[in-house]
Coordinates of all heavy atoms in Angstrom, one line a residue:
Chain B
D1657 N 14.7 17.4 -23.6 CA 13.9 18.6 -23.8 C 13.2 19.1 -22.5 O 13.1 20.2 -22.2 CB 12.8 18.3 -24.9 CG 13.4 18.3 -26.3 OD1 14.5 18.8 -26.5 OD2 12.7 17.9 -27.2
Y1658 N 12.6 18.1 -21.9 CA 11.9 18.4 -20.6 C 12.8 19.0 -19.6 O 12.5 20.1 -19.0 CB 11.4 17.0 -20.1 CG 10.8 17.1 -18.7 CD1 9.6 17.6 -18.4 CD2 11.6 16.6 -17.6 CE1 9.1 17.6 -17.1 CE2 11.1 16.6 -16.3 CZ 9.9 17.1 -16.0 OH 9.4 17.2 -14.7
L1659 N 14.0 18.5 -19.4 CA 15.0 19.1 -18.5 C 15.4 20.5 -18.9 O 15.4 21.4 -18.0 CB 16.3 18.3 -18.4 CG 16.3 17.1 -17.5 CD1 17.8 16.5 -17.4 CD2 15.8 17.4 -16.1
R1660 N 15.6 20.7 -20.1 CA 16.0 22.0 -20.6 C 14.9 23.0 -20.3 O 15.2 24.2 -19.9 CB 16.3 21.9 -22.2 CG 16.6 23.2 -22.8 CD 16.9 23.0 -24.3 NE 16.0 22.3 -25.1 CZ 14.8 22.7 -25.5 NH1 14.4 24.0 -25.2 NH2 13.9 21.9 -26.1
L1661 N 13.7 22.6 -20.5 CA 12.6 23.6 -20.3 C 12.2 23.7 -18.8 O 11.8 24.8 -18.3 CB 11.3 23.2 -21.1 CG 11.5 23.4 -22.6 CD1 10.4 22.7 -23.3 CD2 11.5 24.9 -22.9
R1662 N 12.5 22.7 -18.0 CA 12.3 22.9 -16.5 C 13.2 23.9 -16.0 O 13.0 24.6 -15.1 CB 12.6 21.5 -15.8 CG 11.5 20.5 -15.9 CD 10.2 20.8 -15.3 NE 10.2 21.0 -13.8 CZ 9.1 21.2 -13.1 NH1 7.9 21.2 -13.7 NH2 9.1 21.4 -11.8
A1663 N 14.4 24.0 -16.6 CA 15.4 24.9 -16.2 C 15.3 26.3 -16.8 O 15.9 27.3 -16.3 CB 16.8 24.3 -16.4
N1664 N 14.6 26.3 -17.9 CA 14.6 27.6 -18.7 C 13.2 27.9 -19.2 O 12.9 27.7 -20.4 CB 15.5 27.5 -19.9 CG 17.0 27.3 -19.5 OD1 17.6 28.3 -19.0 ND2 17.4 26.1 -19.5
R1665 N 12.3 28.3 -18.3 CA 10.9 28.7 -18.8 C 10.9 30.1 -19.4 O 11.4 31.0 -18.8 CB 10.0 28.7 -17.6 CG 9.7 27.3 -17.0 CD 9.0 26.4 -18.0 NE 7.7 26.9 -18.5 CZ 6.6 26.5 -18.0 NH1 6.5 25.5 -17.1 NH2 5.4 26.9 -18.5
K1666 N 10.4 30.2 -20.6 CA 10.3 31.5 -21.3 C 9.1 31.4 -22.2 O 9.1 30.7 -23.2 CB 11.6 31.7 -22.1 CG 11.5 33.0 -22.9 CD 11.7 34.3 -22.1 CE 11.7 35.5 -23.0 NZ 11.4 36.7 -22.3
D1667 N 8.0 31.9 -21.7 CA 6.7 31.8 -22.5 C 5.8 32.9 -22.1 O 6.3 34.0 -21.6 CB 6.1 30.4 -22.3 CG 6.1 30.1 -20.8 OD1 5.6 30.9 -20.0 OD2 6.4 28.9 -20.4
D1668 N 4.5 32.8 -22.3 CA 3.6 33.9 -22.0 C 3.6 34.3 -20.6 O 3.3 35.4 -20.2 CB 2.2 33.5 -22.4 CG 2.0 33.4 -23.9 OD1 2.9 34.0 -24.7 OD2 1.1 32.7 -24.4
F1669 N 3.9 33.3 -19.7 CA 3.9 33.6 -18.3 C 5.3 33.9 -17.7 O 5.5 34.8 -16.9 CB 3.3 32.5 -17.5 CG 3.0 32.8 -16.1 CD1 1.9 33.6 -15.7 CD2 3.9 32.4 -15.1 CE1 1.7 33.9 -14.4 CE2 3.7 32.7 -13.7 CZ 2.6 33.5 -13.4
Y1670 N 6.3 33.2 -18.2 CA 7.6 33.3 -17.6 C 8.5 34.3 -18.5 O 8.7 34.0 -19.7 CB 8.4 31.9 -17.6 CG 7.8 31.0 -16.5 CD1 6.8 30.2 -16.7 CD2 8.5 31.0 -15.3 CE1 6.3 29.3 -15.7 CE2 8.0 30.1 -14.3 CZ 6.9 29.3 -14.5 OH 6.5 28.5 -13.5
D1671 N 8.9 35.3 -17.9 CA 9.8 36.3 -18.6 C 11.2 36.0 -18.5 O 12.0 36.2 -19.3 CB 9.5 37.7 -18.0 CG 8.6 38.5 -18.8 OD1 8.3 38.1 -20.0 OD2 8.1 39.5 -18.3
R1672 N 11.5 35.4 -17.3 CA 13.0 35.3 -16.9 C 13.3 33.9 -16.6 O 13.0 33.3 -15.5 CB 13.2 36.1 -15.6 CG 14.5 36.1 -15.1 CD 15.0 37.4 -14.7 NE 16.5 37.5 -14.7 CZ 17.2 38.5 -14.5 NH1 16.6 39.7 -14.4 NH2 18.5 38.5 -14.5
P1673 N 14.0 33.2 -17.6 CA 14.3 31.8 -17.3 C 15.3 31.7 -16.1 O 16.2 32.5 -16.0 CB 15.0 31.4 -18.6 CG 14.7 32.4 -19.6 CD 14.4 33.7 -18.8
A1674 N 15.1 30.6 -15.3 CA 16.0 30.5 -14.1 C 17.4 30.2 -14.5 O 18.4 30.5 -13.9 CB 15.4 29.4 -13.2
G1675 N 17.6 29.4 -15.6 CA 18.9 29.0 -16.0 C 19.4 27.8 -15.2 O 20.6 27.5 -15.3
G1676 N 18.5 27.2 -14.5 CA 18.9 26.0 -13.7 C 17.7 25.4 -13.0 O 16.6 26.0 -13.0
V1677 N 17.9 24.2 -12.5 CA 16.8 23.5 -11.8 C 17.4 22.6 -10.8 O 18.5 22.0 -11.1 CB 15.8 22.8 -12.8 CG1 16.5 21.7 -13.5 CG2 14.6 22.4 -12.1
D1678 N 16.8 22.4 -9.7 CA 17.4 21.4 -8.7 C 16.8 20.0 -8.9 O 15.7 19.8 -9.5 CB 17.3 21.9 -7.3 CG 15.9 21.7 -6.7 OD1 15.6 20.6 -6.3 OD2 15.2 22.7 -6.6
L1679 N 17.6 19.0 -8.5 CA 17.2 17.6 -8.8 C 15.8 17.3 -8.4 O 15.2 16.5 -9.1 CB 18.2 16.7 -7.9 CG 18.1 15.2 -8.1 CD1 18.4 14.8 -9.5 CD2 19.1 14.6 -7.1
C1680 N 15.3 17.8 -7.3 CA 14.0 17.5 -6.8 C 12.9 18.3 -7.5 O 11.7 18.1 -7.2 CB 13.9 17.6 -5.3 SG 14.9 16.3 -4.5
N1681 N 13.3 19.3 -8.3 CA 12.3 20.2 -8.9 C 12.2 19.8 -10.4 O 11.7 20.6 -11.2 CB 12.7 21.6 -8.7 CG 11.5 22.6 -9.1 OD1 10.4 22.2 -9.1 ND2 11.9 23.8 -9.3
A1682 N 12.7 18.6 -10.8 CA 12.5 18.2 -12.2 C 12.0 16.7 -12.1 O 12.7 15.8 -12.5 CB 13.8 18.3 -12.9
P1683 N 10.8 16.5 -11.5 CA 10.4 15.1 -11.3 C 10.3 14.4 -12.7 O 9.8 14.9 -13.6 CB 9.0 15.3 -10.7 CG 8.6 16.7 -11.0 CD 9.8 17.5 -11.1

Side-chain angles (χ1 to χ4, degrees):
Chain B
D1657 284 346
Y1658 168 79
L1659 274 190
R1660 178 176 49 76
L1661 289 167
R1662 286 295 297 186
N1664 298 284
R1665 291 298 299 261
K1666 174 76 176 160
D1667 48 47
D1668 290 339
F1669 189 80
Y1670 287 86
D1671 263 345
R1672 178 137 202 170
V1677 65
D1678 77 78
L1679 182 61
C1680 290
N1681 195 21

